[in-house]
Amino acid sequence: GSGGMAEVKMTLQRLYNLMLLAEEEGDEKPLLGHFVFMGAPGTGKTTVARVTGQILYTLKLIAQNKVVETSGLNLTGEHVGQTKTKVEEKLNEARGGVLFIDEAYELGKGTYGSEACTSIVAAMTDPKYDGLTIILAGYQADIMKMLDTNEGLKSRIQHFLEFPDWKAKDCVE
């Protein structure tokens, strides 16, 4: 079975139930929040991100059924100011949907990596990007290391999901 997917579905179902409860009681909807998908390449993080987008849309938790895929490297520019522009382009493209950033730990590296992190944190608190869900993905150790150096980013991520490495027998079903 797909360990990661089951966990994601449970998490989303729980979120949906909280939303319904809030609606019934006339409370403010809880924030959907942002995700970290941790696992090695090939553990299905990208696939699950696409499915997550569909589920969130079906549950009316996001406005648009779209997942914009990028990577930490793609978001990091070569000179000052470029990173912020690249990040904002992707954020705008993903508005109302999901922004999936694979190898997100690259965001914390290099001269302009922190600029990318800062831009993402700013977006997470900017009303303009309400309803945008960001999924950061990568190796667990690398992602955690990056988040430890970015308290602001870490504090805004509500859901941490682990993707177990596939055993060969898992694929034969």
Side-chain angles (χ1 to χ4, degrees):
S2 59
M5 196 61 233
E7 204 184 338
V8 170
K9 279 189 175 149
M10 264 169 42
T11 302
L12 296 177
Q13 190 58 54
R14 207 168 48 234
L15 275 170
Y16 182 59
N17 293 342
L18 285 171
M19 296 274 182
L20 283 181
L21 195 67
E23 246 176 88
E24 278 170 26
E25 299 183 352
D27 294 339
E28 203 153 315
K29 277 190 178 182
L31 278 172
L32 176 56
H34 305 285
F35 294 78
V36 167
F37 286 3
M38 298 174 290
T43 46
K45 296 185 301 294
T46 308
T47 310
V48 174
R50 290 180 193 141
V51 175
T52 299
Q54 287 167 357
I55 295 172
L56 290 173
Y57 176 70
T58 307
L59 298 178
K60 298 185 170 55
L61 297 177
I62 55 176
Q64 295 185 38
N65 185 3
K66 69 172 168 188
V67 177
V68 174
E69 293 168 35
T70 185
S71 74
L73 274 177
N74 282 348
L75 291 179
T76 312
E78 277 85 70
H79 45 77
V80 178
Q82 195 182 6
T83 299
K84 193 172 187 294
T85 309
K86 283 186 173 196
V87 171
E88 283 173 357
E89 275 170 14
K90 283 294 170 197
L91 286 166
N92 285 327
E93 194 185 327
R95 264 168 79 176
V98 174
L99 178 60
F100 176 72
I101 307 173
D102 204 3
E103 284 153 14
Y105 43 84
E106 294 289 350
L107 291 173
K109 293 182 186 168
T111 324
Y112 307 118
S114 59
E115 197 181 313
C117 283
T118 309
S119 301
I120 288 167
V121 172
M124 286 174 168
T125 54
D126 186 339
K128 179 170 114 174
Y129 296 112
D130 273 359
L132 166 66
T133 292
I134 297 172
I135 303 176
L136 305 173
Y139 284 110
Q140 182 162 3
D142 294 329
I143 287 261
M144 292 323 280
K145 199 160 66 190
M146 179 193 90
L147 290 174
D148 285 339
T149 60
N150 284 282
E151 226 12 84
L153 188 55
K154 194 177 186 177
S155 67
R156 290 185 174 80
I157 290 164
Q158 286 78 2
H159 314 285
F160 292 83
L161 299 171
E162 282 180 53
F163 287 69
D165 289 348
W166 300 111
K167 310 286 181 286
K169 65 170 171 49
D170 290 343
C171 301
V172 192
E173 279 179 18

